[in-house]
Amino acid sequence: AWIHKMEYAHAPIRAIFEINHDAEYDLTYVQAPVYDSLHHPAFVIGLQGFGNKFKGAEIERMAKRIRDACDRVSGFMARATGRN
């Protein structure tokens, strides 16, 4: 694994489910699931490799774009098999 800042090399990664728009976060990754035609998680799409702090509002915008992309791929997978 690539560690941008060595002081974080042994720090645990914590999932954050509520974001303060004005707070700054050391972002590790943003990801969302893609569902197959049976609505089971098939894989994830995500972004990683960040080296800067991000405001909560920026993270929410990134997360929404990834979620929207995953929804489009999920929809394509459902249509390709004829299941919705």
Side-chain angles (χ1 to χ4, degrees):
W2 177 69
I3 304 290
H4 181 72
K5 296 179 181 177
M6 288 311 295
E7 64 262 26
Y8 301 127
H10 299 289
I13 295 175
R14 294 179 298 137
I16 297 175
F17 299 101
E18 292 185 25
I19 294 179
N20 177 332
H21 285 64
D22 298 319
E24 288 191 337
Y25 298 90
D26 290 312
L27 187 61
T28 303
Y29 60 86
V30 178
Q31 64 185 25
V34 172
Y35 296 98
D36 65 17
S37 61
L38 299 174
H39 302 287
H40 298 133
F43 56 90
V44 298
I45 294 176
L47 297 172
Q48 64 186 43
F50 300 105
N52 300 323
K53 290 187 179 283
F54 290 89
K55 292 266 189 190
E58 294 174 292
I59 295 170
E60 287 185 338
R61 281 192 297 276
M62 281 189 262
K64 182 182 181 333
R65 292 187 74 177
I66 290 175
R67 177 73 259 151
D68 291 347
C70 289
D71 287 347
R72 286 191 300 276
V73 174
S74 296
F76 169 79
M77 291 175 70
R79 287 189 303 279
T81 61
R83 297 180 180 158
N84 290 331

